[in-house]
Amino acid sequence: MAEHRTMQRGALLDAARSLLSEGGTEALTFPALAERTGLARSSVYEYFRSRAAVVEELCAVDFPVWAAEVEAAMESVDTPEAKIEAYVRRQLALVGDRRHRAVVAISAGELDAGAREKIRAAHGGLIAMVVEALVALGHEQPRLAAMLLQGVVDAAVRRIELGAAEEPDSIIEAAVSMALRGVKG
């Protein structure tokens, strides 16, 4: 029975990812989840008490996976510049990934404090790695620079998501170039 519940929960999370990546946070409703999974709406409530609970679980499950991929990319290179480049490239390479799209939709949407805290914690680990690279580059305000760098990444993510006029590759190259030139101070 427990295995069946785990499967249902997984199906609900997967449906939530799809809904989020297709239509953002507004698309994530219990009727839509019920319809996608073939469960009764009352069953959805047995697994999650609210939309925020679905979002929180998605953050808890997906964000660490996504963060680990970025971290691995940074750890696979040696120089501070290469780490910063890997940080930008890996995040932007994950844009098409449904997990990442869901996380982006979530961070853009309204979140309760618990979910926001989880995202901040996972993000904090990534930012800490960037701060380290910036310190190694002799940056005078590494924390500020790390936040601004993430702003460049977020803007590039939105640009790619919107299917902007530019090709995703040229958006990625522009973001990498801006990041690397910018961190040199």
Side-chain angles (χ1 to χ4, degrees):
M1 186 64 201
E3 203 173 301
H4 180 66
R5 282 193 69 79
T6 307
M7 258 173 54
Q8 300 277 51
R9 192 176 201 90
L12 283 164
L13 287 176
D14 210 44
R17 277 181 201 105
S18 294
L19 290 164
L20 281 166
S21 70
E22 290 159 19
T25 39
E26 307 77 61
L28 182 61
T29 65
F30 277 30
L33 281 172
E35 192 181 312
R36 286 280 167 107
T37 53
L39 291 170
R41 201 181 311 181
S42 58
S43 300
V44 178
Y45 282 99
E46 283 174 36
Y47 291 93
F48 297 104
R49 63 189 188 288
S50 65
R51 238 166 60 132
V54 177
V55 161
E56 200 163 326
E57 180 131 346
L58 267 182
C59 290
V61 172
D62 289 354
F63 208 97
V65 173
W66 173 80
E69 288 190 35
V70 177
E71 211 165 301
M74 290 176 77
E75 282 168 356
S76 71
V77 292
D78 300 322
T79 67
E81 288 93 343
K83 286 185 187 305
I84 287 164
E85 179 168 348
Y87 175 79
V88 175
R89 277 191 195 284
R90 195 67 203 119
Q91 284 193 67
L92 297 178
L94 289 168
V95 171
D97 185 297
R98 250 169 9 121
R99 276 191 324 246
H100 179 259
R101 268 230 284 298
V103 167
V104 170
I106 288 165
S107 11
E110 72 309 332
L111 276 182
D112 70 342
R116 257 204 310 276
E117 207 31 66
K118 281 196 176 109
I119 285 188
R120 246 201 308 278
H123 232 253
L126 280 178
I127 294 285
M129 291 182 74
V130 174
V131 168
E132 217 173 285
L134 290 163
V135 168
L137 284 172
H139 212 285
E140 281 172 21
Q141 291 181 291
R143 289 222 44 96
L144 174 62
M147 294 305 174
L148 295 175
L149 176 63
Q150 187 56 45
V152 169
V153 173
D154 294 341
V157 164
R158 280 192 300 278
R159 199 93 191 126
I160 293 169
E161 297 262 301
L162 288 169
E166 311 86 7
E167 285 298 310
D169 283 349
S170 71
I171 296 171
I172 292 171
E173 293 315 315
V176 166
S177 148
M178 184 172 277
L180 290 176
R181 280 210 298 271
V183 296
K184 291 198 172 79

